[in-house]
Amino acid sequence: MRVLKFGGTSVADGAAIRRVAAIVADERHAGGDQGGPVVVVSALGGVTDRLLQIGALAQCGDAGPALEQVADLEARHRQTLGELAAGETARIARDALEEGFARVRAIVGAVAVLHEASPRTVDALAASGELLSGRIVTAALAEAGLSAQWVDPRQLVCTDDQFTAATPLMDETCRQAAWCVRPLLEQGRVVVTGGFVGATGRGVTTTLGRGGSDYSAALLGAALSADEIQIWTDVDGMLTADPRVVGEARLVPFLSFAEAAELAYFGAKVLHPRTIQPAAAQNIPVRILNTFRPGAAGTRIADGPGVAPAAVTALACKRGITVITITSTRMLMAFGYLRRVFEVFERYRTPVDVVSTSEVSVSVTIDDRRHLEPIVAALSGFAEVGVADERALVAVVGDRFGEDPATFARVVRALEGIPLRLVSQADARRNVTLVLDERDLSRAMTRLHAECFGHPAHAPARVHA
Ligand code: ADP
Ligand code: ASP
Ligand code: MG
C-alpha cells in the first residue's frame, strides 16, 4: 500500500484534480486486490494564504471585508466541485462545503468581535483549507468510479497543543490511523484525508506548520507501514537547486534520507523539513513526482549507499535569515556559557540553524523572528548582542562532500568577491553552510551551481543500486 500526497498546485482547480483522479485510479488498479492508496491532499492552491489573510482582516474588528473574501473562496470551491461531480456524489460534497464555510464564517465573526486571533483560532481557520479540498477530491475520485472514503485528519493525526506548529504524538497517531484506516483498506477502499491538520488528544484542531501536508503523508505512511510515500507536486522531483533561484537546476534522481533531510531543512521547499524523519525511521522510500508529468521518473529517496561518487548532490537556500552575534569576555574558557545562550532560544521556542564560535563570541542564525525582541533582551543580560538581518543561507549538500577536500576549496573559490558572513562545516561533513547578504544570494547560487553541476563530469548522475 502506498500513500500519495498531492500539493496545492496539484489540486488547484478542476483540471488539476482530474489529473489527480487519473493518477489515483492507475495506482488503485496497479495495487490489485489490496486496498488503497491512502490519498493526502493539500488545500486548493493559495487557499491557506487566503485563509490567513482573512483571519488578519477580521482581527481589525470589521467582519465585512473578511466575509467578502470568504464568499469568494466559497464560490471557487463550489465551482471546482461543480466541474468534477454531479448527482448524489456532488450533493454529499456540497453539504460538506456548506457546513465547512458556515464554520469559517463563525470563526471570522468571533475574531472580529474579539479583535483577536490566537494561534488556536488561526489553526481552526487554516485547517479549513484541507478539510474542504479533501471533500472535493473524494467526490472527484468517486465520480471516476473509485470507492473513495473521506476520513477527517483530526481522527488520524494526534498532536501536542503547540498551535500553528504542532508536534505529532506518534504512538497515538499510529493507533488512531490503524484503527480508522486499516478496516477501510481491507474493504478495498481508497482513503482520502487532508494533510497539514491534526488534533490534540482532547480533539482541538491543530496544524503541523506551513507546508505540513508532506509531513502528514510521511506520518501516515509510517503509521500504516506503507510500501512507499509519494509526494506529487509541480516539479519533476528534487532539483539540484531551487528552480526559482537557479534556472538551470536539474533533476536529482536519487537521494539518501540524510541528504534529503538536510536539503529540506535548509530550504528545499519541495519537502517539508520534518518529512524524512518518520519515513527514514521505518525505512520507507519516498518518491517526489510531478502531477503534470506523471510518466517522469521523479526523485527516489531511500536508505544510502548505492550512489555514484559525486561530491555535491544539490544546493539549498533560504532567505530572510537573521544573524545574532553574542559577545562576552566571560565566554573565554568559561564552562556553561553556551548552555546559557541556548537556553534563551529554547525558552522562546526559536530554532537555531547555524552556529559559529570564536574566542569571545558566538554567532547563530534564526529564521523565525517572532520572539527576536525578548531573545535580544534576555541575551543582553549577560553579553553584548548584535543583530544583522537580510541575510541568506546557502547549504551545499552531499553524502560524499567530506571525502574530497578539494570540494570545499571549489565552493569558496566560486564565491570569490562575495562577503561570507558565517561558514559552518560539521565534522560529519555532509554539507557546508554559508551565510551571506540576501542581495548576493542569486549570484552566489548561480556561480555555485555552475561550479558543482555546470560540467557534465560533475553532474549528479546518481543511480540507485
Ligand atoms: P506543493 O504545493 O506541491 O507542496 P511546494 O510549493 O510546497 O509544492 O513545493 C514545490 C516547489 O518547491 C517547487 O515549485 C519549487 O519552486 C520549490 N523548490 C525549492 N527548492 C527546490 C528543489 N531543490 N527542488 C525542487 N523544487 C524546489
Ligand atoms: N496548505 C498548507 C500550506 O499551504 C499545507 C501544505 O500545502 O502542505 O502551508
Ligand atoms: Mg509543499
Side-chain angles (χ1 to χ4, degrees):
M1 187 280 295
R2 289 176 171 150
V3 175
L4 276 54
K5 176 261 170 177
F6 295 92
T9 326
S10 304
V11 294
D13 53 29
I17 295 174
R18 241 178 252 117
R19 284 193 192 92
V20 167
I23 292 166
V24 174
D26 279 354
E27 175 63 26
R28 175 76 199 94
H29 297 132
D33 283 344
Q34 51 167 314
V38 172
V39 176
V40 177
V41 295
S42 285
L44 305 192
V47 165
T48 310
D49 285 338
R50 287 289 298 278
L51 288 165
L52 295 174
Q53 284 160 12
I54 285 168
L57 258 181
Q59 225 177 325
C60 300
D62 178 6
L67 288 173
E68 271 172 37
Q69 292 217 21
V70 175
D72 280 355
L73 274 187
E74 183 164 9
R76 177 176 167 196
H77 282 77
R78 283 180 182 277
Q79 150 100 23
T80 306
L81 174 63
E83 287 170 26
L84 293 164
E88 182 61 6
T89 310
R91 191 195 56 76
I92 295 169
R94 236 184 352 256
D95 287 352
L97 294 190
E98 200 162 309
E99 208 176 295
F101 277 104
R103 207 176 138 71
V104 169
R105 277 189 291 270
I107 297 170
V108 166
V111 169
V113 168
L114 297 171
H115 289 248
E116 190 218 35
S118 66
R120 179 177 171 135
T121 309
V122 168
D123 269 357
L125 199 53
S128 310
E130 271 70 6
L131 301 179
L132 295 161
S133 66
R135 306 308 288 253
I136 298 177
V137 172
T138 309
L141 296 181
E143 196 74 16
L146 296 164
S147 168
Q149 173 70 50
W150 161 254
V151 177
D152 190 315
R154 292 169 294 190
Q155 293 173 2
L156 304 178
V157 178
C158 184
T159 74
D160 68 8
D161 61 359
Q162 287 300 315
F163 296 100
T164 75
T167 297
L169 307 177
M170 207 51 206
D171 288 349
E172 198 51 41
T173 300
C174 285
R175 250 196 314 276
Q176 291 183 175
W179 195 79
C180 291
V181 176
R182 279 205 196 287
L184 295 169
L185 296 177
E186 276 156 20
Q187 290 162 25
R189 324 262 329 238
V190 174
V191 173
V192 185
T193 190
F196 178 55
V197 176
T200 66
R202 307 180 72 174
V204 183
T205 305
T206 56
T207 70
L208 304 176
R210 296 305 307 270
S213 294
D214 303 329
Y215 191 26
S216 299
L219 289 168
L220 292 176
L224 296 164
S225 303
D227 298 313
E228 188 171 83
I229 297 156
Q230 296 185 345
I231 306 292
W232 288 84
T233 183
D234 58 1
V235 282
D236 276 351
M238 180 69 79
L239 306 180
T240 46
D242 184 338
R244 293 162 303 179
V245 180
V246 180
E248 304 78 50
R250 52 177 186 263
L251 183 73
V252 183
F254 174 77
L255 285 166
S256 69
F257 282 130
E259 287 172 323
E262 294 274 2
L263 289 165
Y265 182 72
F266 286 116
K269 188 185 170 228
V270 69
L271 279 184
H272 180 274
R274 297 171 84 178
T275 310
I276 292 302
Q277 191 273 327
Q282 292 207 28
N283 200 10
I284 303 171
V286 177
R287 209 179 264 280
I288 307 176
L289 294 152
N290 189 344
T291 306
F292 302 88
R293 292 200 332 127
T299 297
R300 182 178 147 83
I301 303 167
D303 206 5
V307 297
V312 177
T313 308
L315 311 174
C317 61
K318 251 198 232 184
R319 292 178 201 273
I321 297 294
T322 299
V323 178
I324 305 175
T325 300
I326 303 123
T327 309
S328 168
T329 44
R330 270 189 266 167
M331 182 170 170
L332 202 64
M333 311 288 286
F335 290 108
Y337 183 80
L338 287 177
R339 179 178 52 74
R340 248 180 117 181
V341 168
F342 286 111
E343 262 173 8
V344 172
F345 291 92
E346 188 183 350
R347 195 179 323 146
Y348 293 100
R349 303 184 68 88
T350 300
V352 162
D353 288 330
V354 184
V355 182
S356 170
T357 64
S358 77
E359 193 186 12
V360 292
S361 72
V362 49
S363 294
V364 303
T365 70
I366 60 168
D367 70 353
D368 177 356
R369 289 172 60 96
R370 280 177 303 173
H371 304 295
L372 184 60
E373 231 177 84
I375 287 173
V376 170
L379 292 170
S380 299
F382 56 90
E384 269 172 49
V385 184
V387 176
D389 50 17
E390 294 181 14
R391 300 286 195 249
L393 190 153
V394 172
V396 183
V397 175
D399 275 345
R400 294 171 196 247
F401 187 86
E403 286 173 18
D404 179 7
T407 314
F408 182 71
R410 273 172 48 214
V411 165
V412 174
R413 219 173 20 244
L415 297 176
E416 199 178 327
I418 297 178
L420 301 180
R421 305 295 176 186
L422 239 74
V423 177
S424 162
Q425 187 188 11
D427 195 30
R429 282 186 263 177
R430 181 165 288 115
N431 71 43
V432 59
T433 316
L434 311 148
V435 177
L436 33 82
D437 295 347
E438 214 169 53
R439 62 170 179 271
D440 291 327
L441 179 66
S442 168
R443 72 185 167 125
M445 286 291 283
T446 306
R447 283 205 225 156
L448 274 176
H449 196 270
E451 177 61 39
C452 298
F453 308 108
H455 316 292
H458 297 143
R462 319 190 91 193
V463 180
H464 193 222

